[in-house]
Amino acid sequence: MIKVIGVRFRRAGKVYFFDPGELQINKGDHVIVETARGVEFGNVVLGMREVEEDMVIQPLKPVLRVATADDVRREERNREKEKEALAICLEKIQKHGLEMKLIDAEYTFDNNKVLFYFTADRTLHSCRQGFQPLPPSQIQTIQKMPSGSLQGYPTDPS
């Protein structure tokens, strides 16, 4: 058996297990964790429990810390910035006649990336091809966004 907590990053997203270490973490707390996308702010939806090791994808990443008041404010600012990024991207999609439906925009907690989720009727061989060639005005807009990179994720339209 291995001790874990369950963390969700979006309201209806998947629950991921993390190692709470020696931290006292309860359901409803906010935590800062390291993920494949970088440092993220998450909501604890499953309090500490022990699960069978075969239920856990190894290596189990540790919780970096329980979120502070500053972390919560930063996450709130990120949600506001996502609304701005969504509006800018929607404007560019319309301006350039791109055949895609923008679903959501998401900043990583550390502001290194802004992620766009979209659907498209035609199959995109890769997200990168789906956004190329980018018109110069769109490149300038992306460069003005206070993040290190842009990523697009096609979503299943069903």
Side-chain angles (χ1 to χ4, degrees):
M1 299 291 276
I2 187 167
K3 185 169 66 169
V4 300
I5 61 164
V7 177
R8 181 176 285 150
F9 299 102
R10 291 293 184 173
R11 272 184 250 161
K14 181 179 174 184
V15 176
Y16 296 89
F17 288 139
F18 287 88
D19 178 0
E22 299 301 315
L23 297 171
Q24 293 302 312
I25 302 171
N26 300 303
K27 181 178 178 180
D29 288 347
H30 300 291
V31 291
I32 306 300
V33 296
E34 180 76 34
T35 71
R37 293 187 338 189
V39 176
E40 293 286 352
F41 179 98
N43 303 306
V44 179
V45 295
L46 297 174
M48 269 194 256
R49 62 191 59 209
E50 290 192 356
V51 298
E52 297 290 335
E53 289 196 36
D54 62 353
M55 291 184 64
V56 177
I57 297 173
Q58 297 289 352
L60 187 63
K61 294 198 177 211
V63 173
L64 299 177
R65 66 180 179 272
V66 174
T68 65
D70 285 342
D71 292 332
V72 172
R73 283 190 293 276
R74 183 178 191 170
E75 181 69 4
E76 289 168 353
R77 284 192 307 269
N78 283 353
R79 299 289 81 86
E80 290 303 314
K81 287 171 47 177
E82 287 170 0
K83 292 175 188 173
E84 294 171 23
L86 195 63
I88 290 168
C89 192
L90 279 170
E91 176 188 316
K92 297 302 179 183
I93 288 170
Q94 291 170 352
K95 180 178 178 180
H96 298 290
L98 299 175
E99 294 181 20
M100 57 193 294
K101 180 180 178 189
L102 188 62
I103 304 297
D104 200 9
E106 178 182 348
Y107 272 92
T108 56
F109 180 73
D110 57 11
N111 282 287
N112 283 333
K113 295 178 186 171
V114 60
L115 311 166
F116 292 97
Y117 298 89
F118 63 91
T119 60
D121 288 338
R122 65 184 178 89
T123 302
L124 299 177
H125 296 292
S126 75
C127 293
R128 170 159 273 180
Q129 287 177 336
F131 282 108
Q132 287 183 347
L134 289 174
S137 64
Q138 194 165 1
I139 292 171
Q140 290 169 357
T141 301
I142 291 166
Q143 289 171 343
K144 290 177 187 174
M145 290 183 176
S147 67
S149 66
L150 167 79
Q151 292 184 358
Y153 291 94
T155 58
D156 184 358
S158 57

